[in-house]
Amino acid sequence: LAARHEHPSATIPQNMLRHVAAAAFVAFAAYTARDLGYLHEAPRPSGSCRLLPGSDAFRSSEDAQEWSGGTVLVTAGDLRHVFHHGVENAAPGALYTADLAANEPAARALPLVGCPPGLRFQPHGLYIRRPYIYAVSHAGGAAGSRVEVFEEETEDDRLTGARWVRSVSHPLLKPNGFPNDVVAVAPGEIYVTRWLARPLPIGGIANPSPWERVEAKFLFIANVLRLPITRIIRCVFDLEGGPADCKVVGGRHAKANGIAAFDGDVFVVDSLSFSITRYARTNDGDLVERDRIKTPHAADNLNILEDGTIHLGTMPKLHQCVDPTRQPVVGALTVIAPANASAPVPRDVSRGVRTGDDRYVFRDAINSAGDIVNQISCGVLVGSCDGGVAAA
Protein backbone atom coordinates (compact mmCIF):
# COMPACT_ATOMS: atom_id res chain seq x y z
CA LEU A 1 0.00 0.00 0.00
CA ALA A 2 1.23 3.42 -0.79
CA ALA A 3 0.01 6.56 0.91
CA ARG A 4 -0.89 9.43 -1.42
CA HIS A 5 0.36 12.76 -0.19
CA GLU A 6 -0.63 16.12 -1.68
CA HIS A 7 1.43 19.22 -1.26
CA PRO A 8 -0.50 21.76 0.88
CA SER A 9 -0.31 24.30 -1.92
CA ALA A 10 -2.45 22.02 -4.12
CA THR A 11 -5.54 22.79 -2.04
CA ILE A 12 -5.08 26.55 -2.26
CA PRO A 13 -6.86 26.98 -5.63
CA GLN A 14 -9.83 24.96 -4.34
CA ASN A 15 -10.06 27.01 -1.16
CA MET A 16 -9.70 30.20 -3.16
CA LEU A 17 -12.53 29.16 -5.48
CA ARG A 18 -14.75 28.44 -2.50
CA HIS A 19 -14.00 31.83 -1.01
CA VAL A 20 -14.59 33.61 -4.30
CA ALA A 21 -17.87 31.76 -4.79
CA ALA A 22 -18.98 32.60 -1.24
CA ALA A 23 -18.04 36.25 -1.70
CA ALA A 24 -19.89 36.38 -5.02
CA PHE A 25 -22.99 34.86 -3.42
CA VAL A 26 -22.92 37.35 -0.54
CA ALA A 27 -22.45 40.26 -2.97
CA PHE A 28 -25.32 39.03 -5.15
CA ALA A 29 -27.56 38.61 -2.08
CA ALA A 30 -26.73 42.14 -0.90
CA TYR A 31 -27.29 43.52 -4.41
CA THR A 32 -30.67 41.78 -4.62
CA ALA A 33 -31.69 42.92 -1.13
CA ARG A 34 -30.83 46.47 -2.11
CA ASP A 35 -32.87 46.39 -5.29
CA LEU A 36 -35.83 44.74 -3.58
CA GLY A 37 -35.94 47.70 -1.21
CA TYR A 38 -35.00 45.95 2.03
CA LEU A 39 -32.32 48.60 2.62
CA HIS A 40 -34.66 51.52 1.92
CA GLU A 41 -36.22 53.42 4.75
CA ALA A 42 -39.99 53.37 4.56
CA PRO A 43 -41.05 56.67 2.98
CA ARG A 44 -42.90 59.14 5.16
CA PRO A 45 -46.48 59.34 3.85
CA SER A 46 -47.60 62.62 2.33
CA GLY A 47 -49.94 64.24 4.83
CA SER A 48 -52.09 65.99 2.25
CA CYS A 49 -53.43 62.83 0.54
CA ARG A 50 -57.08 61.87 0.63
CA LEU A 51 -59.33 59.61 -1.37
CA LEU A 52 -60.83 61.15 -4.47
CA PRO A 53 -64.64 61.08 -4.11
CA GLY A 54 -66.03 58.42 -6.40
CA SER A 55 -62.74 56.52 -6.62
CA ASP A 56 -64.00 53.83 -4.25
CA ALA A 57 -65.60 52.37 -7.39
CA PHE A 58 -62.18 51.87 -8.95
CA ARG A 59 -61.02 48.26 -9.09
CA SER A 60 -57.27 47.72 -9.34
CA SER A 61 -56.54 50.86 -11.33
CA GLU A 62 -53.24 50.69 -13.21
CA ASP A 63 -52.76 53.75 -15.40
CA ALA A 64 -53.78 57.39 -15.63
CA GLN A 65 -53.36 60.03 -18.33
CA GLU A 66 -54.22 63.71 -18.47
CA TRP A 67 -56.78 64.37 -21.19
CA SER A 68 -56.77 68.18 -21.10
CA GLY A 69 -56.79 71.08 -18.63
CA GLY A 70 -56.55 68.98 -15.49
CA THR A 71 -59.06 66.34 -16.58
CA VAL A 72 -57.57 62.88 -16.11
CA LEU A 73 -58.59 59.47 -17.41
CA VAL A 74 -58.03 56.41 -15.22
CA THR A 75 -58.26 52.69 -15.98
CA ALA A 76 -60.13 50.35 -13.65
CA GLY A 77 -59.64 46.79 -14.83
CA ASP A 78 -59.96 44.82 -11.57
CA LEU A 79 -56.52 43.47 -12.48
CA ARG A 80 -56.03 41.90 -9.06
CA HIS A 81 -58.74 39.36 -9.83
CA VAL A 82 -57.82 39.14 -13.52
CA PHE A 83 -54.22 38.19 -12.70
CA HIS A 84 -54.73 36.14 -9.54
CA HIS A 85 -58.07 34.42 -10.12
CA GLY A 86 -58.83 34.74 -13.83
CA VAL A 87 -60.89 37.18 -15.86
CA GLU A 88 -64.11 35.24 -15.24
CA ASN A 89 -63.87 36.17 -11.55
CA ALA A 90 -63.18 39.85 -12.20
CA ALA A 91 -65.66 42.70 -12.16
CA PRO A 92 -66.27 44.34 -15.56
CA GLY A 93 -63.63 46.96 -16.32
CA ALA A 94 -64.22 50.64 -16.98
CA LEU A 95 -62.63 54.02 -17.59
CA TYR A 96 -63.08 56.83 -15.07
CA THR A 97 -62.53 60.54 -15.43
CA ALA A 98 -62.02 63.39 -12.96
CA ASP A 99 -61.34 67.10 -13.24
CA LEU A 100 -58.46 67.69 -10.83
CA ALA A 101 -58.56 71.43 -11.54
CA ALA A 102 -62.08 71.68 -10.10
CA ASN A 103 -62.62 73.05 -6.59
CA GLU A 104 -63.99 69.70 -5.44
CA PRO A 105 -62.84 67.05 -7.94
CA ALA A 106 -64.69 63.76 -8.10
CA ALA A 107 -64.40 60.64 -10.24
CA ARG A 108 -67.14 59.39 -12.52
CA ALA A 109 -67.40 56.50 -14.93
CA LEU A 110 -66.87 57.46 -18.56
CA PRO A 111 -69.61 56.04 -20.80
CA LEU A 112 -68.23 53.63 -23.44
CA VAL A 113 -70.37 53.77 -26.58
CA GLY A 114 -70.65 51.43 -29.56
CA CYS A 115 -68.83 48.43 -28.12
CA PRO A 116 -69.57 45.15 -29.90
CA PRO A 117 -71.93 42.83 -28.02
CA GLY A 118 -70.05 40.67 -25.53
CA LEU A 119 -66.85 42.71 -25.65
CA ARG A 120 -64.90 42.06 -22.45
CA PHE A 121 -62.96 45.15 -21.35
CA GLN A 122 -60.39 44.82 -18.53
CA PRO A 123 -58.07 47.80 -19.06
CA HIS A 124 -54.40 47.81 -18.05
CA GLY A 125 -52.12 50.41 -19.73
CA LEU A 126 -53.57 53.60 -21.22
CA TYR A 127 -52.56 56.30 -23.69
CA ILE A 128 -54.33 59.36 -25.07
CA ARG A 129 -53.51 60.78 -28.49
CA ARG A 130 -56.47 62.99 -29.12
CA PRO A 131 -59.02 62.33 -30.35
CA TYR A 132 -58.16 58.67 -29.75
CA ILE A 133 -57.81 56.68 -26.54
CA TYR A 134 -55.80 53.45 -26.51
CA ALA A 135 -56.14 50.87 -23.73
CA VAL A 136 -54.49 47.49 -23.23
CA SER A 137 -57.21 45.01 -22.26
CA HIS A 138 -57.11 41.43 -20.98
CA ALA A 139 -60.32 39.85 -22.22
CA GLY A 140 -59.25 36.26 -21.49
CA GLY A 141 -60.61 33.19 -23.20
CA ALA A 142 -60.37 32.91 -26.98
CA ALA A 143 -60.10 36.69 -27.37
CA GLY A 144 -56.97 36.93 -25.25
CA SER A 145 -55.21 40.23 -24.59
CA ARG A 146 -55.29 43.10 -27.07
CA VAL A 147 -55.51 46.87 -27.43
CA GLU A 148 -58.87 48.62 -27.61
CA VAL A 149 -59.12 51.92 -29.49
CA PHE A 150 -61.78 54.52 -28.65
CA GLU A 151 -62.56 57.99 -29.96
CA GLU A 152 -63.39 60.74 -27.50
CA GLU A 153 -66.84 62.30 -27.33
CA THR A 154 -66.97 65.88 -26.06
CA GLU A 155 -69.47 68.57 -25.18
CA ASP A 156 -68.51 72.16 -24.35
CA ASP A 157 -64.84 71.12 -24.14
CA ARG A 158 -65.69 68.41 -21.62
CA LEU A 159 -64.98 64.70 -22.07
CA THR A 160 -68.39 63.04 -22.01
CA GLY A 161 -67.75 59.58 -23.45
CA ALA A 162 -65.62 57.29 -25.56
CA ARG A 163 -66.85 55.61 -28.73
CA TRP A 164 -65.33 52.22 -29.56
CA VAL A 165 -63.37 52.23 -32.83
CA ARG A 166 -61.70 48.80 -33.09
CA SER A 167 -59.70 46.09 -31.35
CA VAL A 168 -56.04 45.58 -32.23
CA SER A 169 -55.38 41.85 -32.00
CA HIS A 170 -52.33 39.84 -33.00
CA PRO A 171 -50.59 36.59 -31.90
CA LEU A 172 -47.78 38.69 -30.36
CA LEU A 173 -50.34 40.38 -28.09
CA LYS A 174 -52.93 37.66 -27.55
CA PRO A 175 -51.36 35.37 -24.88
CA ASN A 176 -53.13 35.95 -21.57
CA GLY A 177 -51.70 38.98 -19.78
CA PHE A 178 -48.79 39.54 -22.20
CA PRO A 179 -49.18 43.27 -23.02
CA ASN A 180 -48.77 45.89 -20.30
CA ASP A 181 -48.76 49.44 -21.65
CA VAL A 182 -49.26 51.21 -24.96
CA VAL A 183 -48.21 54.42 -26.69
CA ALA A 184 -49.46 55.77 -30.03
CA VAL A 185 -47.10 57.70 -32.30
CA ALA A 186 -49.75 58.00 -35.03
CA PRO A 187 -53.48 57.20 -35.09
CA GLY A 188 -52.75 53.76 -36.59
CA GLU A 189 -49.30 53.06 -35.15
CA ILE A 190 -48.66 51.89 -31.59
CA TYR A 191 -45.87 50.43 -29.48
CA VAL A 192 -46.79 47.97 -26.74
CA THR A 193 -44.64 46.63 -23.90
CA ARG A 194 -44.85 42.89 -23.33
CA TRP A 195 -43.96 42.48 -19.66
CA LEU A 196 -44.32 38.69 -19.43
CA ALA A 197 -42.23 35.94 -21.00
CA ARG A 198 -45.01 33.37 -20.56
CA PRO A 199 -48.78 33.91 -20.44
CA LEU A 200 -50.62 33.97 -17.14
CA PRO A 201 -52.67 30.89 -16.24
CA ILE A 202 -56.23 31.19 -17.55
CA GLY A 203 -57.49 30.62 -14.01
CA GLY A 204 -55.05 33.16 -12.59
CA ILE A 205 -51.78 32.95 -10.71
CA ALA A 206 -53.57 31.34 -7.77
CA ASN A 207 -54.78 28.43 -9.93
CA PRO A 208 -51.90 27.22 -12.12
CA SER A 209 -51.61 23.85 -13.77
CA PRO A 210 -48.72 21.63 -12.63
CA TRP A 211 -46.64 22.72 -15.64
CA GLU A 212 -47.48 26.39 -15.10
CA ARG A 213 -46.34 26.01 -11.50
CA VAL A 214 -42.96 24.76 -12.74
CA GLU A 215 -42.78 27.59 -15.29
CA ALA A 216 -43.46 30.13 -12.56
CA LYS A 217 -40.45 28.95 -10.56
CA PHE A 218 -38.13 29.30 -13.55
CA LEU A 219 -39.56 32.72 -14.37
CA PHE A 220 -39.03 33.85 -10.77
CA ILE A 221 -35.37 32.85 -11.04
CA ALA A 222 -35.10 34.69 -14.36
CA ASN A 223 -36.53 37.81 -12.72
CA VAL A 224 -34.13 37.59 -9.78
CA LEU A 225 -31.25 37.30 -12.26
CA ARG A 226 -32.74 40.13 -14.31
CA LEU A 227 -32.57 38.13 -17.50
CA PRO A 228 -33.76 40.13 -20.54
CA ILE A 229 -36.81 38.05 -21.43
CA THR A 230 -39.45 40.68 -22.30
CA ARG A 231 -39.90 42.71 -25.49
CA ILE A 232 -41.56 45.66 -27.22
CA ILE A 233 -44.13 45.18 -29.99
CA ARG A 234 -44.92 47.64 -32.80
CA CYS A 235 -48.32 47.39 -34.50
CA VAL A 236 -49.58 49.23 -37.58
CA PHE A 237 -53.27 49.10 -38.50
CA ASP A 238 -56.13 50.88 -40.22
CA LEU A 239 -58.62 52.52 -37.90
CA GLU A 240 -61.39 51.45 -40.26
CA GLY A 241 -60.65 47.77 -39.58
CA GLY A 242 -58.64 44.86 -40.95
CA PRO A 243 -55.72 42.88 -39.52
CA ALA A 244 -52.89 44.56 -37.65
CA ASP A 245 -49.27 44.15 -38.74
CA CYS A 246 -47.16 43.61 -35.60
CA LYS A 247 -43.48 42.85 -35.05
CA VAL A 248 -40.91 42.78 -32.25
CA VAL A 249 -38.73 45.90 -32.09
CA GLY A 250 -36.08 47.43 -29.86
CA GLY A 251 -33.92 45.72 -27.28
CA ARG A 252 -34.65 43.10 -24.69
CA HIS A 253 -35.72 44.03 -21.17
CA ALA A 254 -35.89 42.22 -17.85
CA LYS A 255 -39.39 43.63 -17.23
CA ALA A 256 -40.61 46.05 -19.90
CA ASN A 257 -43.39 48.04 -18.29
CA GLY A 258 -44.57 51.63 -18.81
CA ILE A 259 -44.08 53.30 -22.18
CA ALA A 260 -44.40 56.90 -23.40
CA ALA A 261 -43.41 59.13 -26.33
CA PHE A 262 -41.63 62.48 -26.28
CA ASP A 263 -39.83 64.59 -28.87
CA GLY A 264 -40.13 61.83 -31.50
CA ASP A 265 -38.58 59.17 -29.24
CA VAL A 266 -40.07 56.27 -27.28
CA PHE A 267 -39.35 55.80 -23.57
CA VAL A 268 -39.63 52.35 -21.94
CA VAL A 269 -39.51 51.59 -18.22
CA ASP A 270 -37.69 48.42 -17.14
CA SER A 271 -38.91 47.74 -13.61
CA LEU A 272 -36.24 45.19 -12.72
CA SER A 273 -33.31 47.08 -14.25
CA PHE A 274 -34.23 50.33 -12.47
CA SER A 275 -34.05 52.24 -15.71
CA ILE A 276 -35.88 54.13 -18.44
CA THR A 277 -34.56 53.42 -21.93
CA ARG A 278 -34.92 56.16 -24.53
CA TYR A 279 -35.29 54.82 -28.06
CA ALA A 280 -34.99 56.63 -31.37
CA ARG A 281 -37.42 55.49 -34.06
CA THR A 282 -36.03 54.41 -37.41
CA ASN A 283 -37.75 54.92 -40.76
CA ASP A 284 -39.17 51.41 -40.67
CA GLY A 285 -40.49 51.80 -37.13
CA ASP A 286 -37.76 49.87 -35.33
CA LEU A 287 -36.31 51.22 -32.08
CA VAL A 288 -32.61 52.00 -31.49
CA GLU A 289 -31.38 52.78 -27.98
CA ARG A 290 -30.36 56.42 -27.61
CA ASP A 291 -29.97 56.75 -23.84
CA ARG A 292 -30.71 55.10 -20.52
CA ILE A 293 -31.80 56.86 -17.31
CA LYS A 294 -31.11 55.04 -14.03
CA THR A 295 -33.88 55.51 -11.46
CA PRO A 296 -33.67 55.43 -7.66
CA HIS A 297 -36.69 53.12 -7.33
CA ALA A 298 -38.22 50.29 -9.31
CA ALA A 299 -40.75 51.96 -11.59
CA ASP A 300 -44.05 51.19 -13.27
CA ASN A 301 -45.81 53.68 -15.57
CA LEU A 302 -44.67 57.09 -16.71
CA ASN A 303 -46.07 60.33 -18.10
CA ILE A 304 -43.86 62.89 -19.85
CA LEU A 305 -44.84 66.56 -19.86
CA GLU A 306 -44.26 69.01 -22.71
CA ASP A 307 -41.07 70.32 -21.04
CA GLY A 308 -39.62 66.81 -20.70
CA THR A 309 -40.35 66.39 -16.98
CA ILE A 310 -41.19 62.77 -16.19
CA HIS A 311 -43.85 61.67 -13.70
CA LEU A 312 -43.14 58.12 -12.62
CA GLY A 313 -45.10 55.68 -10.48
CA THR A 314 -42.46 53.94 -8.34
CA MET A 315 -42.07 51.14 -5.80
CA PRO A 316 -39.38 51.95 -3.20
CA LYS A 317 -39.88 48.55 -1.55
CA LEU A 318 -40.16 46.25 -4.53
CA HIS A 319 -40.23 43.07 -2.42
CA GLN A 320 -43.75 43.98 -1.29
CA CYS A 321 -44.93 43.58 -4.89
CA VAL A 322 -44.09 39.86 -4.97
CA ASP A 323 -47.54 39.26 -3.53
CA PRO A 324 -49.40 42.58 -3.22
CA THR A 325 -52.59 40.79 -2.09
CA ARG A 326 -51.07 39.94 1.30
CA GLN A 327 -49.66 43.27 2.42
CA PRO A 328 -49.78 47.01 1.80
CA VAL A 329 -47.34 48.19 -0.87
CA VAL A 330 -45.66 51.55 -0.29
CA GLY A 331 -45.36 53.72 -3.35
CA ALA A 332 -44.27 57.10 -4.64
CA LEU A 333 -45.00 59.50 -7.48
CA THR A 334 -41.46 60.42 -8.48
CA VAL A 335 -40.77 63.56 -10.54
CA ILE A 336 -37.66 63.51 -12.76
CA ALA A 337 -36.20 66.62 -14.37
CA PRO A 338 -32.86 67.32 -16.11
CA ALA A 339 -30.21 68.52 -13.67
CA ASN A 340 -29.53 71.61 -15.78
CA ALA A 341 -33.15 72.72 -15.91
CA SER A 342 -33.74 76.41 -15.26
CA ALA A 343 -35.72 75.63 -12.11
CA PRO A 344 -34.67 72.15 -10.98
CA VAL A 345 -36.48 70.34 -8.20
CA PRO A 346 -34.27 69.14 -5.33
CA ARG A 347 -33.18 65.54 -5.00
CA ASP A 348 -35.58 64.31 -2.36
CA VAL A 349 -36.33 60.59 -2.47
CA SER A 350 -36.82 58.04 0.29
CA ARG A 351 -33.43 57.22 1.70
CA GLY A 352 -31.69 54.16 0.33
CA VAL A 353 -28.51 53.15 -1.45
CA ARG A 354 -29.73 54.09 -4.94
CA THR A 355 -29.86 57.78 -5.85
CA GLY A 356 -30.56 57.60 -9.57
CA ASP A 357 -28.86 59.07 -12.63
CA ASP A 358 -26.59 62.05 -11.80
CA ARG A 359 -27.76 63.87 -14.93
CA TYR A 360 -31.24 64.23 -13.42
CA VAL A 361 -32.82 65.37 -10.21
CA PHE A 362 -35.45 63.21 -8.53
CA ARG A 363 -38.18 64.08 -6.11
CA ASP A 364 -40.82 61.87 -4.54
CA ALA A 365 -43.67 64.37 -4.82
CA ILE A 366 -46.18 61.95 -3.29
CA ASN A 367 -45.50 59.12 -0.83
CA SER A 368 -47.95 56.45 0.24
CA ALA A 369 -47.58 53.92 3.05
CA GLY A 370 -49.99 51.60 1.25
CA ASP A 371 -53.01 52.61 3.32
CA ILE A 372 -54.82 55.25 1.28
CA VAL A 373 -53.23 54.09 -1.98
CA ASN A 374 -51.90 50.53 -2.11
CA GLN A 375 -48.97 50.85 -4.56
CA ILE A 376 -48.62 53.82 -6.89
CA SER A 377 -48.42 52.45 -10.41
CA CYS A 378 -48.90 55.82 -12.10
CA GLY A 379 -49.68 59.41 -11.29
CA VAL A 380 -50.79 62.66 -12.89
CA LEU A 381 -49.63 65.86 -11.23
CA VAL A 382 -51.61 68.97 -12.09
CA GLY A 383 -49.71 72.10 -11.05
CA SER A 384 -46.35 72.28 -9.27
CA CYS A 385 -44.73 69.72 -6.95
CA ASP A 386 -45.36 72.00 -3.98
CA GLY A 387 -48.86 73.22 -4.70
CA GLY A 388 -50.38 70.89 -7.26
CA VAL A 389 -53.03 68.22 -7.18
CA ALA A 390 -52.15 64.63 -8.03
CA ALA A 391 -54.12 61.55 -8.92
CA ALA A 392 -52.18 58.36 -8.19
Side-chain angles (χ1 to χ4, degrees):
L1 297 174
R4 183 173 180 266
H5 297 282
E6 291 186 357
H7 194 277
S9 63
T11 61
I12 292 178
Q14 295 182 2
N15 290 334
M16 185 179 295
L17 286 175
R18 293 192 187 98
H19 292 153
V20 170
F25 176 79
V26 171
F28 177 76
Y31 180 78
T32 301
R34 177 196 70 176
D35 284 354
L36 288 176
Y38 285 106
L39 305 182
H40 269 288
E41 290 183 357
R44 184 167 55 193
S46 302
S48 59
C49 291
R50 62 183 178 86
L51 286 178
L52 181 71
S55 65
D56 54 342
F58 292 3
R59 293 183 179 272
S60 299
S61 298
E62 165 71 14
D63 208 351
Q65 295 272 317
E66 185 174 10
W67 176 72
S68 179
T71 296
V72 298
L73 197 59
V74 183
T75 62
D78 197 12
L79 297 182
R80 175 174 294 188
H81 284 96
V82 170
F83 292 160
H84 288 266
H85 303 288
V87 67
E88 297 302 325
N89 294 298
L95 296 177
Y96 282 79
T97 185
D99 182 5
L100 296 185
N103 292 330
E104 296 184 1
R108 62 178 179 83
L110 184 71
L112 304 181
V113 183
C115 296
L119 178 74
R120 186 84 192 216
F121 182 54
Q122 306 293 155
H124 191 163
L126 177 73
Y127 190 75
I128 299 172
R129 182 186 173 91
R130 298 186 62 184
Y132 298 106
I133 300 167
Y134 304 79
V136 169
S137 176
H138 305 295
S145 296
R146 54 197 179 188
V147 175
E148 302 293 353
V149 183
F150 300 88
E151 186 173 5
E152 65 184 34
E153 293 191 332
T154 62
E155 183 178 332
D156 297 329
D157 294 326
R158 294 183 299 108
L159 181 63
T160 58
R163 179 171 296 277
W164 183 84
V165 175
R166 65 162 293 165
S167 298
V168 180
S169 303
H170 191 272
L172 289 173
L173 303 175
K174 184 176 180 178
N176 189 38
F178 256 31
N180 182 298
D181 200 8
V182 58
V183 67
V185 296
E189 181 181 0
I190 60 175
Y191 291 87
V192 181
T193 52
R194 206 172 72 179
W195 70 312
L196 299 176
R198 295 292 300 162
L200 294 171
I202 295 299
I205 298 171
N207 302 289
S209 68
W211 174 245
E212 288 170 333
R213 197 181 301 274
V214 173
E215 278 188 336
K217 295 183 184 301
F218 281 105
L219 291 175
F220 178 78
I221 294 172
N223 286 336
V224 170
L225 296 176
R226 301 170 182 82
L227 299 182
I229 55 177
T230 64
R231 303 305 302 267
I232 307 164
I233 309 299
R234 173 183 180 258
C235 294
V236 180
F237 52 90
D238 189 335
L239 288 172
E240 298 299 322
D245 179 20
C246 300
K247 65 177 182 179
V248 175
V249 295
R252 293 179 176 270
H253 293 268
K255 184 69 73 174
N257 201 321
I259 189 169
F262 174 74
D263 199 21
D265 291 344
V266 173
F267 292 69
V268 176
V269 171
D270 189 325
S271 300
L272 296 183
S273 295
F274 289 72
S275 65
I276 303 171
T277 302
R278 180 172 185 169
Y279 285 104
R281 296 172 56 229
T282 63
N283 292 333
D284 63 355
D286 203 351
L287 299 178
V288 178
E289 182 173 336
R290 181 194 293 270
D291 192 15
R292 188 170 297 191
I293 304 170
K294 302 301 289 185
T295 60
H297 310 314
D300 199 333
N301 293 316
L302 76 166
N303 286 311
I304 306 179
L305 307 188
E306 292 181 356
D307 63 358
T309 301
I310 299 174
H311 292 168
L312 193 63
T314 58
M315 301 159 282
K317 288 187 168 292
L318 182 59
H319 66 91
Q320 296 175 338
C321 299
V322 174
D323 189 354
T325 65
R326 295 188 178 183
Q327 60 184 340
V329 179
V330 302
L333 173 57
T334 303
V335 178
I336 307 175
N340 60 352
S342 58
V345 295
R347 183 182 295 274
D348 180 18
V349 297
S350 59
R351 190 168 301 166
V353 293
R354 279 187 180 272
T355 57
D357 198 311
D358 290 337
R359 298 171 299 163
Y360 296 83
V361 287
F362 300 83
R363 179 175 182 182
D364 288 346
I366 301 294
N367 283 305
S368 168
D371 46 1
I372 296 179
V373 179
N374 188 27
Q375 183 179 340
I376 295 179
S377 59
C378 189
V380 175
L381 182 63
V382 178
S384 67
C385 285
D386 298 311
V389 180

